[in-house]
Amino acid sequence: MALVLIGSFFLLLLCNVPVAVSMGLSAVFGMLSGGFGLKSVATVFYSAIAKYTMLAIPFFILAGIIMDYAGISKRLIRFADACCGHRKGGLAIVSIVTACFFAAISGSGPATVAALAGILIPAMVKHGYNKNFATAVIASAGGIGMIIPPSIPFVIYAMLAEVSVGTMFIAGIVPGILFGVAYGIASLFCLKKDPNVVSESKAGGKERWEAFKDAFWGLLSPVIILGGIYGGFFTPTEASGVAVVYGLFVGLFIYKEIKWSEIGKIFVEACASSAVIMFIMGAAGAFTWILTTSGLAGQMSEVLLSISGNRNVILLVITIIFLIAGCFVDSASGFYLLMPILLPVVKDIGLNLYAFGVLATANFAIGQITPPVGSNLFVACNVAKISMKDLCSKIGPFIIAGVVCLLIMTYFPQIITFLPSLMGMNIG
C-alpha cells in the first residue's frame, strides 16, 4: 500500500499533474491496493474538511475579498504613503507596511498581492522604480499575509497539530513584523544606489490626519478581529464571520464602494477560491490518512531522528525539507504531507509546537516567492504583465532576507513564544 501510494504520487507529479490531484489520486490507488473500497475514499476525503475550525477558511477568504471591493486597500496605501512615502525607497516601505495591515484582514498571501499590486506597482514605476523590482517587493510583502494573524495556514496547522488557533495567531505577530522589517531593509539596500528613484514630497500634518481618518475603518478591522478573539468575545472561527459582516457594513454603508448588485459576484469569487483550498485539503487529508495508516509516516520519522542526535542539526534538516517543499507545493498540501512525519520528530526533540507551526508557515511564506511554483510570483507577474524570468532576477535579496529571519527564529524560538507567554497563554 505504501509503495503504491508514494510511487503513484511521484509518477503523477512527473506527468505534470497538479499536486493536489496527484495526492488525491495516489490516495485512491493506495486505498484500493490496501483493500479499502471507494466508499472509504469519500469518507476520508470528507472527514478531512468537515471540521468546525475549517469554517474560518472560507469566511476569512470572503472577508478579504469584501474588504478589497470596499476600497480598504487603497485607503491603507494612502495612509502609509502619507507617513513614509517621502523618504527614498519610501514607496517600497509603504508596500510592505500596507501588506502587513492587509494581511491582518485577508489571511492569505496571494490575496494580499492581488489586492495591492494593481495600485502600488504603477505608483512605484511612476516614481522611477524598476518595474521588475517593484513587482518583487509586492510579491515578497504578500507572503507576510501567511504569518500576520489571522492566517489561513495557521488554522490548518492548528487543526493538524491539535493546538489553539488563537494562540497560533498571537505567536505569529512578532515573526510577521520581523519579516516586514527584513524585507524593508532588503528594499532600502537594493535602492540605495539607484539614481532613478524619486522621493515624493513630504505630507503635512493635515494631510496625514485626513489619510488616517479615511483609513480608520480599515485600520479598525484587525483590531476588532483580534481584539474580539483575545478579549473572549468570540472564537477565531466566529471572528471570521464577524470579519465578513464588518466588511460588508463598511463597504455598503461607510465607504459605499460596494454596490448591492456586486454582492453576488463577491460571493461567487469567494466560493471559487474556497473550493480550490477545500479540494486541496480533502485530497491531502486522504493522502495523509494512508501515509499514517500504512506506518510509512512513522518509519520516515525514525529515519529522520537517526540522522543525528544533535537537536540543532535536526532543526536544520527540517528547515531544509520545508524550504524545498515550499518551492513545489502550497502550504495546505505541504502541511498535510509533512506533518505526520515531522510532528513526532519535533515532539521528540522538545521544540515547542507553536514555534514549529510559525517556522513551518514562514518556510512556506518564503516558498511563495521561490521558483518554480511560488504562487505570489504568478499573481504578481499576471498583474504587472512581466515574465517570471524578469521577476526572478530581482527576487533574490528578499529570499535571502526571509531565510535569515527563518534561521534566527529557528535557533531562537523565544522570538515566537515570548508574546503568548507574556499574555498568559498556555504554550506547553
mmCIF file of all heavy atoms in Angstrom, residues 11-59:
data_model
loop_
_atom_site.group_PDB
_atom_site.id
_atom_site.type_symbol
_atom_site.label_atom_id
_atom_site.label_comp_id
_atom_site.label_asym_id
_atom_site.label_seq_id
_atom_site.Cartn_x
_atom_site.Cartn_y
_atom_site.Cartn_z
ATOM 1 N N LEU A 11 4.951 9.536 -9.745
ATOM 2 C CA LEU A 11 4.700 9.317 -11.168
ATOM 3 C C LEU A 11 3.749 10.368 -11.723
ATOM 4 O O LEU A 11 3.980 10.925 -12.811
ATOM 5 C CB LEU A 11 4.120 7.916 -11.385
ATOM 6 C CG LEU A 11 3.826 7.533 -12.839
ATOM 7 C CD1 LEU A 11 5.115 7.537 -13.664
ATOM 8 C CD2 LEU A 11 3.162 6.153 -12.915
ATOM 9 N N LEU A 12 2.701 10.681 -10.964
ATOM 10 C CA LEU A 12 1.745 11.702 -11.399
ATOM 11 C C LEU A 12 2.398 13.080 -11.439
ATOM 12 O O LEU A 12 2.136 13.879 -12.347
ATOM 13 C CB LEU A 12 0.531 11.717 -10.458
ATOM 14 C CG LEU A 12 -0.405 10.511 -10.569
ATOM 15 C CD1 LEU A 12 -1.369 10.450 -9.392
ATOM 16 C CD2 LEU A 12 -1.187 10.570 -11.881
ATOM 17 N N LEU A 13 3.261 13.364 -10.462
ATOM 18 C CA LEU A 13 3.973 14.651 -10.469
ATOM 19 C C LEU A 13 4.858 14.780 -11.702
ATOM 20 O O LEU A 13 4.940 15.853 -12.326
ATOM 21 C CB LEU A 13 4.818 14.809 -9.203
ATOM 22 C CG LEU A 13 4.091 15.081 -7.883
ATOM 23 C CD1 LEU A 13 5.104 15.197 -6.745
ATOM 24 C CD2 LEU A 13 3.272 16.364 -7.968
ATOM 25 N N LEU A 14 5.541 13.681 -12.067
ATOM 26 C CA LEU A 14 6.396 13.695 -13.257
ATOM 27 C C LEU A 14 5.590 13.915 -14.526
ATOM 28 O O LEU A 14 6.120 14.408 -15.533
ATOM 29 C CB LEU A 14 7.187 12.380 -13.346
ATOM 30 C CG LEU A 14 8.295 12.191 -12.294
ATOM 31 C CD1 LEU A 14 8.877 10.773 -12.375
ATOM 32 C CD2 LEU A 14 9.409 13.228 -12.489
ATOM 33 N N CYS A 15 4.315 13.544 -14.482
ATOM 34 C CA CYS A 15 3.416 13.747 -15.638
ATOM 35 C C CYS A 15 2.760 15.123 -15.610
ATOM 36 O O CYS A 15 1.794 15.377 -16.340
ATOM 37 C CB CYS A 15 2.345 12.665 -15.662
ATOM 38 S SG CYS A 15 2.988 11.001 -15.942
ATOM 39 N N ASN A 16 3.256 16.016 -14.731
ATOM 40 C CA ASN A 16 2.751 17.391 -14.604
ATOM 41 C C ASN A 16 1.308 17.476 -14.132
ATOM 42 O O ASN A 16 0.597 18.442 -14.439
ATOM 43 C CB ASN A 16 2.910 18.153 -15.931
ATOM 44 C CG ASN A 16 4.347 18.459 -16.263
ATOM 45 O OD1 ASN A 16 5.144 18.755 -15.374
ATOM 46 N ND2 ASN A 16 4.710 18.370 -17.528
ATOM 47 N N VAL A 17 0.861 16.480 -13.391
ATOM 48 C CA VAL A 17 -0.465 16.538 -12.778
ATOM 49 C C VAL A 17 -0.365 17.449 -11.552
ATOM 50 O O VAL A 17 0.600 17.350 -10.788
ATOM 51 C CB VAL A 17 -0.943 15.126 -12.358
ATOM 52 C CG1 VAL A 17 -2.294 15.198 -11.646
ATOM 53 C CG2 VAL A 17 -1.015 14.213 -13.570
ATOM 54 N N PRO A 18 -1.318 18.375 -11.341
ATOM 55 C CA PRO A 18 -1.257 19.265 -10.167
ATOM 56 C C PRO A 18 -1.074 18.494 -8.865
ATOM 57 O O PRO A 18 -1.560 17.366 -8.726
ATOM 58 C CB PRO A 18 -2.618 19.978 -10.207
ATOM 59 C CG PRO A 18 -3.008 19.964 -11.649
ATOM 60 C CD PRO A 18 -2.481 18.670 -12.196
ATOM 61 N N VAL A 19 -0.376 19.118 -7.915
ATOM 62 C CA VAL A 19 -0.021 18.440 -6.665
ATOM 63 C C VAL A 19 -1.251 17.903 -5.943
ATOM 64 O O VAL A 19 -1.273 16.751 -5.490
ATOM 65 C CB VAL A 19 0.753 19.399 -5.732
ATOM 66 C CG1 VAL A 19 0.986 18.751 -4.370
ATOM 67 C CG2 VAL A 19 2.081 19.789 -6.361
ATOM 68 N N ALA A 20 -2.301 18.722 -5.828
ATOM 69 C CA ALA A 20 -3.497 18.292 -5.098
ATOM 70 C C ALA A 20 -4.147 17.082 -5.759
ATOM 71 O O ALA A 20 -4.553 16.128 -5.088
ATOM 72 C CB ALA A 20 -4.498 19.440 -5.012
ATOM 73 N N VAL A 21 -4.230 17.109 -7.085
ATOM 74 C CA VAL A 21 -4.820 15.983 -7.818
ATOM 75 C C VAL A 21 -3.944 14.744 -7.670
ATOM 76 O O VAL A 21 -4.439 13.628 -7.495
ATOM 77 C CB VAL A 21 -5.007 16.348 -9.305
ATOM 78 C CG1 VAL A 21 -5.571 15.164 -10.084
ATOM 79 C CG2 VAL A 21 -5.933 17.552 -9.444
ATOM 80 N N SER A 22 -2.628 14.952 -7.714
ATOM 81 C CA SER A 22 -1.700 13.827 -7.537
ATOM 82 C C SER A 22 -1.872 13.179 -6.176
ATOM 83 O O SER A 22 -1.900 11.943 -6.047
ATOM 84 C CB SER A 22 -0.246 14.308 -7.685
ATOM 85 O OG SER A 22 -0.006 14.821 -8.972
ATOM 86 N N MET A 23 -2.019 13.989 -5.147
ATOM 87 C CA MET A 23 -2.203 13.459 -3.801
ATOM 88 C C MET A 23 -3.527 12.698 -3.692
ATOM 89 O O MET A 23 -3.599 11.623 -3.085
ATOM 90 C CB MET A 23 -2.148 14.590 -2.769
ATOM 91 C CG MET A 23 -0.795 15.269 -2.671
ATOM 92 S SD MET A 23 -0.751 16.642 -1.487
ATOM 93 C CE MET A 23 -0.528 15.769 0.039
ATOM 94 N N GLY A 24 -4.577 13.281 -4.271
ATOM 95 C CA GLY A 24 -5.885 12.635 -4.211
ATOM 96 C C GLY A 24 -5.911 11.308 -4.947
ATOM 97 O O GLY A 24 -6.403 10.297 -4.422
ATOM 98 N N LEU A 25 -5.380 11.280 -6.169
ATOM 99 C CA LEU A 25 -5.395 10.041 -6.968
ATOM 100 C C LEU A 25 -4.499 8.969 -6.346
ATOM 101 O O LEU A 25 -4.875 7.790 -6.308
ATOM 102 C CB LEU A 25 -4.938 10.344 -8.401
ATOM 103 C CG LEU A 25 -5.927 11.103 -9.289
ATOM 104 C CD1 LEU A 25 -5.301 11.415 -10.644
ATOM 105 C CD2 LEU A 25 -7.208 10.286 -9.476
ATOM 106 N N SER A 26 -3.334 9.370 -5.846
ATOM 107 C CA SER A 26 -2.454 8.381 -5.236
ATOM 108 C C SER A 26 -3.078 7.814 -3.969
ATOM 109 O O SER A 26 -2.890 6.633 -3.640
ATOM 110 C CB SER A 26 -1.079 8.996 -4.934
ATOM 111 O OG SER A 26 -1.189 10.099 -4.060
ATOM 112 N N ALA A 27 -3.845 8.640 -3.242
ATOM 113 C CA ALA A 27 -4.565 8.154 -2.055
ATOM 114 C C ALA A 27 -5.613 7.107 -2.461
ATOM 115 O O ALA A 27 -5.776 6.081 -1.790
ATOM 116 C CB ALA A 27 -5.227 9.309 -1.322
ATOM 117 N N VAL A 28 -6.309 7.371 -3.568
ATOM 118 C CA VAL A 28 -7.300 6.403 -4.070
ATOM 119 C C VAL A 28 -6.616 5.085 -4.430
ATOM 120 O O VAL A 28 -7.078 3.997 -4.039
ATOM 121 C CB VAL A 28 -8.042 6.979 -5.302
ATOM 122 C CG1 VAL A 28 -8.915 5.903 -5.953
ATOM 123 C CG2 VAL A 28 -8.897 8.166 -4.896
ATOM 124 N N PHE A 29 -5.504 5.182 -5.163
ATOM 125 C CA PHE A 29 -4.776 3.959 -5.553
ATOM 126 C C PHE A 29 -4.286 3.204 -4.312
ATOM 127 O O PHE A 29 -4.344 1.976 -4.249
ATOM 128 C CB PHE A 29 -3.582 4.321 -6.450
ATOM 129 C CG PHE A 29 -3.961 4.979 -7.742
ATOM 130 C CD1 PHE A 29 -3.110 5.903 -8.355
ATOM 131 C CD2 PHE A 29 -5.173 4.684 -8.359
ATOM 132 C CE1 PHE A 29 -3.464 6.518 -9.548
ATOM 133 C CE2 PHE A 29 -5.538 5.298 -9.555
ATOM 134 C CZ PHE A 29 -4.680 6.212 -10.139
ATOM 135 N N GLY A 30 -3.779 3.974 -3.326
ATOM 136 C CA GLY A 30 -3.287 3.349 -2.101
ATOM 137 C C GLY A 30 -4.390 2.644 -1.335
ATOM 138 O O GLY A 30 -4.198 1.531 -0.825
ATOM 139 N N MET A 31 -5.563 3.257 -1.238
ATOM 140 C CA MET A 31 -6.688 2.642 -0.536
ATOM 141 C C MET A 31 -7.168 1.376 -1.237
ATOM 142 O O MET A 31 -7.444 0.356 -0.603
ATOM 143 C CB MET A 31 -7.845 3.650 -0.416
ATOM 144 C CG MET A 31 -7.632 4.729 0.605
ATOM 145 S SD MET A 31 -9.098 5.771 0.779
ATOM 146 C CE MET A 31 -8.518 6.954 1.982
ATOM 147 N N LEU A 32 -7.258 1.461 -2.553
ATOM 148 C CA LEU A 32 -7.722 0.287 -3.308
ATOM 149 C C LEU A 32 -6.731 -0.862 -3.179
ATOM 150 O O LEU A 32 -7.123 -2.025 -3.041
ATOM 151 C CB LEU A 32 -7.918 0.668 -4.788
ATOM 152 C CG LEU A 32 -9.066 1.661 -5.078
ATOM 153 C CD1 LEU A 32 -9.111 1.996 -6.563
ATOM 154 C CD2 LEU A 32 -10.409 1.095 -4.631
ATOM 155 N N SER A 33 -5.423 -0.535 -3.205
ATOM 156 C CA SER A 33 -4.420 -1.596 -3.075
ATOM 157 C C SER A 33 -4.411 -2.199 -1.668
ATOM 158 O O SER A 33 -3.998 -3.343 -1.467
ATOM 159 C CB SER A 33 -3.019 -1.059 -3.399
ATOM 160 O OG SER A 33 -2.593 -0.149 -2.400
ATOM 161 N N GLY A 34 -4.885 -1.429 -0.684
ATOM 162 C CA GLY A 34 -4.933 -1.923 0.684
ATOM 163 C C GLY A 34 -6.232 -2.618 1.035
ATOM 164 O O GLY A 34 -6.447 -2.964 2.199
ATOM 165 N N GLY A 35 -7.111 -2.761 0.052
ATOM 166 C CA GLY A 35 -8.364 -3.472 0.286
ATOM 167 C C GLY A 35 -9.515 -2.590 0.744
ATOM 168 O O GLY A 35 -10.586 -3.091 1.092
ATOM 169 N N PHE A 36 -9.308 -1.278 0.758
ATOM 170 C CA PHE A 36 -10.400 -0.368 1.125
ATOM 171 C C PHE A 36 -11.248 -0.068 -0.112
ATOM 172 O O PHE A 36 -10.736 0.038 -1.227
ATOM 173 C CB PHE A 36 -9.834 0.945 1.683
ATOM 174 C CG PHE A 36 -9.025 0.783 2.935
ATOM 175 C CD1 PHE A 36 -7.640 0.671 2.875
ATOM 176 C CD2 PHE A 36 -9.644 0.737 4.171
ATOM 177 C CE1 PHE A 36 -6.883 0.519 4.025
ATOM 178 C CE2 PHE A 36 -8.896 0.589 5.331
ATOM 179 C CZ PHE A 36 -7.520 0.475 5.261
ATOM 180 N N GLY A 37 -12.534 0.112 0.076
ATOM 181 C CA GLY A 37 -13.425 0.400 -1.040
ATOM 182 C C GLY A 37 -13.465 1.881 -1.359
ATOM 183 O O GLY A 37 -12.946 2.716 -0.612
ATOM 184 N N LEU A 38 -14.104 2.209 -2.492
ATOM 185 C CA LEU A 38 -14.221 3.605 -2.899
ATOM 186 C C LEU A 38 -15.047 4.407 -1.892
ATOM 187 O O LEU A 38 -14.869 5.620 -1.764
ATOM 188 C CB LEU A 38 -14.862 3.690 -4.288
ATOM 189 C CG LEU A 38 -13.964 3.304 -5.471
ATOM 190 C CD1 LEU A 38 -14.755 3.333 -6.766
ATOM 191 C CD2 LEU A 38 -12.769 4.257 -5.569
ATOM 192 N N LYS A 39 -15.946 3.722 -1.174
ATOM 193 C CA LYS A 39 -16.744 4.411 -0.169
ATOM 194 C C LYS A 39 -15.833 4.986 0.922
ATOM 195 O O LYS A 39 -16.079 6.060 1.461
ATOM 196 C CB LYS A 39 -17.753 3.440 0.448
ATOM 197 C CG LYS A 39 -18.793 4.118 1.342
ATOM 198 C CD LYS A 39 -19.807 3.107 1.875
ATOM 199 C CE LYS A 39 -20.679 2.591 0.759
ATOM 200 N NZ LYS A 39 -21.761 1.712 1.294
ATOM 201 N N SER A 40 -14.760 4.275 1.225
ATOM 202 C CA SER A 40 -13.805 4.751 2.240
ATOM 203 C C SER A 40 -13.091 6.016 1.772
ATOM 204 O O SER A 40 -12.765 6.900 2.573
ATOM 205 C CB SER A 40 -12.763 3.671 2.539
ATOM 206 O OG SER A 40 -13.367 2.509 3.053
ATOM 207 N N VAL A 41 -12.853 6.101 0.456
ATOM 208 C CA VAL A 41 -12.199 7.285 -0.102
ATOM 209 C C VAL A 41 -13.046 8.523 0.182
ATOM 210 O O VAL A 41 -12.547 9.548 0.667
ATOM 211 C CB VAL A 41 -11.975 7.136 -1.618
ATOM 212 C CG1 VAL A 41 -11.375 8.423 -2.192
ATOM 213 C CG2 VAL A 41 -11.069 5.949 -1.918
ATOM 214 N N ALA A 42 -14.351 8.422 -0.098
ATOM 215 C CA ALA A 42 -15.247 9.555 0.127
ATOM 216 C C ALA A 42 -15.315 9.930 1.600
ATOM 217 O O ALA A 42 -15.316 11.116 1.971
ATOM 218 C CB ALA A 42 -16.642 9.211 -0.393
ATOM 219 N N THR A 43 -15.348 8.919 2.465
ATOM 220 C CA THR A 43 -15.436 9.166 3.904
ATOM 221 C C THR A 43 -14.201 9.889 4.421
ATOM 222 O O THR A 43 -14.303 10.879 5.170
ATOM 223 C CB THR A 43 -15.608 7.835 4.669
ATOM 224 O OG1 THR A 43 -16.778 7.170 4.198
ATOM 225 C CG2 THR A 43 -15.729 8.076 6.157
ATOM 226 N N VAL A 44 -13.028 9.410 4.004
ATOM 227 C CA VAL A 44 -11.773 10.024 4.465
ATOM 228 C C VAL A 44 -11.630 11.434 3.900
ATOM 229 O O VAL A 44 -11.225 12.366 4.608
ATOM 230 C CB VAL A 44 -10.562 9.154 4.049
ATOM 231 C CG1 VAL A 44 -9.255 9.871 4.353
ATOM 232 C CG2 VAL A 44 -10.605 7.813 4.765
ATOM 233 N N PHE A 45 -11.975 11.618 2.633
ATOM 234 C CA PHE A 45 -11.914 12.936 1.980
ATOM 235 C C PHE A 45 -12.800 13.922 2.737
ATOM 236 O O PHE A 45 -12.376 15.041 3.062
ATOM 237 C CB PHE A 45 -12.379 12.809 0.526
ATOM 238 C CG PHE A 45 -12.147 14.039 -0.313
ATOM 239 C CD1 PHE A 45 -11.084 14.111 -1.195
ATOM 240 C CD2 PHE A 45 -13.001 15.130 -0.228
ATOM 241 C CE1 PHE A 45 -10.875 15.239 -1.974
ATOM 242 C CE2 PHE A 45 -12.804 16.264 -0.998
ATOM 243 C CZ PHE A 45 -11.730 16.313 -1.875
ATOM 244 N N TYR A 46 -14.032 13.506 3.038
ATOM 245 C CA TYR A 46 -14.974 14.391 3.719
ATOM 246 C C TYR A 46 -14.521 14.706 5.142
ATOM 247 O O TYR A 46 -14.603 15.866 5.594
ATOM 248 C CB TYR A 46 -16.360 13.743 3.743
ATOM 249 C CG TYR A 46 -17.394 14.550 4.496
ATOM 250 C CD1 TYR A 46 -17.924 15.716 3.954
ATOM 251 C CD2 TYR A 46 -17.821 14.151 5.758
ATOM 252 C CE1 TYR A 46 -18.860 16.461 4.648
ATOM 253 C CE2 TYR A 46 -18.759 14.892 6.461
ATOM 254 C CZ TYR A 46 -19.267 16.041 5.905
ATOM 255 O OH TYR A 46 -20.200 16.785 6.608
ATOM 256 N N SER A 47 -14.015 13.704 5.848
ATOM 257 C CA SER A 47 -13.618 13.908 7.244
ATOM 258 C C SER A 47 -12.444 14.878 7.371
ATOM 259 O O SER A 47 -12.251 15.500 8.419
ATOM 260 C CB SER A 47 -13.261 12.571 7.898
ATOM 261 O OG SER A 47 -12.118 11.997 7.290
ATOM 262 N N ALA A 48 -11.664 15.024 6.302
ATOM 263 C CA ALA A 48 -10.513 15.941 6.335
ATOM 264 C C ALA A 48 -10.946 17.408 6.361
ATOM 265 O O ALA A 48 -10.208 18.269 6.834
ATOM 266 C CB ALA A 48 -9.608 15.691 5.133
ATOM 267 N N ILE A 49 -12.136 17.696 5.852
ATOM 268 C CA ILE A 49 -12.581 19.093 5.777
ATOM 269 C C ILE A 49 -13.813 19.379 6.627
ATOM 270 O O ILE A 49 -14.155 20.546 6.845
ATOM 271 C CB ILE A 49 -12.876 19.497 4.314
ATOM 272 C CG1 ILE A 49 -13.941 18.593 3.685
ATOM 273 C CG2 ILE A 49 -11.613 19.452 3.483
ATOM 274 C CD1 ILE A 49 -14.335 19.001 2.273
ATOM 275 N N ALA A 50 -14.490 18.338 7.112
ATOM 276 C CA ALA A 50 -15.730 18.529 7.882
ATOM 277 C C ALA A 50 -15.407 18.780 9.349
ATOM 278 O O ALA A 50 -15.764 17.990 10.222
ATOM 279 C CB ALA A 50 -16.633 17.312 7.726
ATOM 280 N N LYS A 51 -14.721 19.881 9.606
ATOM 281 C CA LYS A 51 -14.350 20.249 10.969
ATOM 282 C C LYS A 51 -14.762 21.692 11.210
ATOM 283 O O LYS A 51 -14.611 22.550 10.335
ATOM 284 C CB LYS A 51 -12.840 20.077 11.182
ATOM 285 C CG LYS A 51 -12.371 18.624 11.098
ATOM 286 C CD LYS A 51 -10.864 18.519 11.275
ATOM 287 C CE LYS A 51 -10.418 17.059 11.354
ATOM 288 N NZ LYS A 51 -10.659 16.324 10.102
ATOM 289 N N TYR A 52 -15.250 21.947 12.413
ATOM 290 C CA TYR A 52 -15.759 23.285 12.742
ATOM 291 C C TYR A 52 -14.693 24.362 12.526
ATOM 292 O O TYR A 52 -14.973 25.433 11.992
ATOM 293 C CB TYR A 52 -16.239 23.295 14.201
ATOM 294 C CG TYR A 52 -16.661 24.655 14.700
ATOM 295 C CD1 TYR A 52 -17.846 25.242 14.255
ATOM 296 C CD2 TYR A 52 -15.868 25.367 15.604
ATOM 297 C CE1 TYR A 52 -18.232 26.494 14.705
ATOM 298 C CE2 TYR A 52 -16.250 26.619 16.060
ATOM 299 C CZ TYR A 52 -17.428 27.171 15.610
ATOM 300 O OH TYR A 52 -17.808 28.418 16.041
ATOM 301 N N THR A 53 -13.456 24.069 12.911
ATOM 302 C CA THR A 53 -12.369 25.044 12.777
ATOM 303 C C THR A 53 -12.177 25.475 11.331
ATOM 304 O O THR A 53 -11.839 26.630 11.050
ATOM 305 C CB THR A 53 -11.052 24.441 13.311
ATOM 306 O OG1 THR A 53 -11.264 23.965 14.632
ATOM 307 C CG2 THR A 53 -9.938 25.469 13.319
ATOM 308 N N MET A 54 -12.418 24.545 10.399
ATOM 309 C CA MET A 54 -12.195 24.825 8.987
ATOM 310 C C MET A 54 -13.170 25.854 8.411
ATOM 311 O O MET A 54 -12.932 26.411 7.332
ATOM 312 C CB MET A 54 -12.311 23.533 8.166
ATOM 313 C CG MET A 54 -11.213 22.510 8.426
ATOM 314 S SD MET A 54 -9.574 23.125 7.962
ATOM 315 C CE MET A 54 -8.915 23.577 9.555
ATOM 316 N N LEU A 55 -14.264 26.135 9.131
ATOM 317 C CA LEU A 55 -15.205 27.160 8.668
ATOM 318 C C LEU A 55 -14.535 28.524 8.562
ATOM 319 O O LEU A 55 -14.960 29.380 7.784
ATOM 320 C CB LEU A 55 -16.396 27.256 9.628
ATOM 321 C CG LEU A 55 -17.469 26.166 9.538
ATOM 322 C CD1 LEU A 55 -18.473 26.337 10.666
ATOM 323 C CD2 LEU A 55 -18.169 26.220 8.190
ATOM 324 N N ALA A 56 -13.483 28.724 9.361
ATOM 325 C CA ALA A 56 -12.799 30.016 9.346
ATOM 326 C C ALA A 56 -12.172 30.310 7.984
ATOM 327 O O ALA A 56 -12.070 31.476 7.585
ATOM 328 C CB ALA A 56 -11.714 30.049 10.429
ATOM 329 N N ILE A 57 -11.773 29.278 7.251
ATOM 330 C CA ILE A 57 -11.055 29.492 5.997
ATOM 331 C C ILE A 57 -11.927 30.178 4.942
ATOM 332 O O ILE A 57 -11.560 31.245 4.433
ATOM 333 C CB ILE A 57 -10.461 28.165 5.478
ATOM 334 C CG1 ILE A 57 -9.372 27.690 6.452
ATOM 335 C CG2 ILE A 57 -9.882 28.329 4.071
ATOM 336 C CD1 ILE A 57 -8.789 26.339 6.114
ATOM 337 N N PRO A 58 -13.107 29.615 4.575
ATOM 338 C CA PRO A 58 -13.913 30.318 3.572
ATOM 339 C C PRO A 58 -14.389 31.690 4.038
ATOM 340 O O PRO A 58 -14.516 32.616 3.229
ATOM 341 C CB PRO A 58 -15.096 29.364 3.332
ATOM 342 C CG PRO A 58 -15.110 28.433 4.479
ATOM 343 C CD PRO A 58 -13.696 28.311 4.932
ATOM 344 N N PHE A 59 -14.620 31.847 5.353
ATOM 345 C CA PHE A 59 -15.076 33.147 5.843
ATOM 346 C C PHE A 59 -13.964 34.192 5.767
ATOM 347 O O PHE A 59 -14.221 35.346 5.395
ATOM 348 C CB PHE A 59 -15.587 33.020 7.281
ATOM 349 C CG PHE A 59 -17.027 32.593 7.371
ATOM 350 C CD1 PHE A 59 -17.373 31.411 7.991
ATOM 351 C CD2 PHE A 59 -18.039 33.372 6.832
ATOM 352 C CE1 PHE A 59 -18.695 31.007 8.079
ATOM 353 C CE2 PHE A 59 -19.365 32.988 6.908
ATOM 354 C CZ PHE A 59 -19.704 31.793 7.536
#
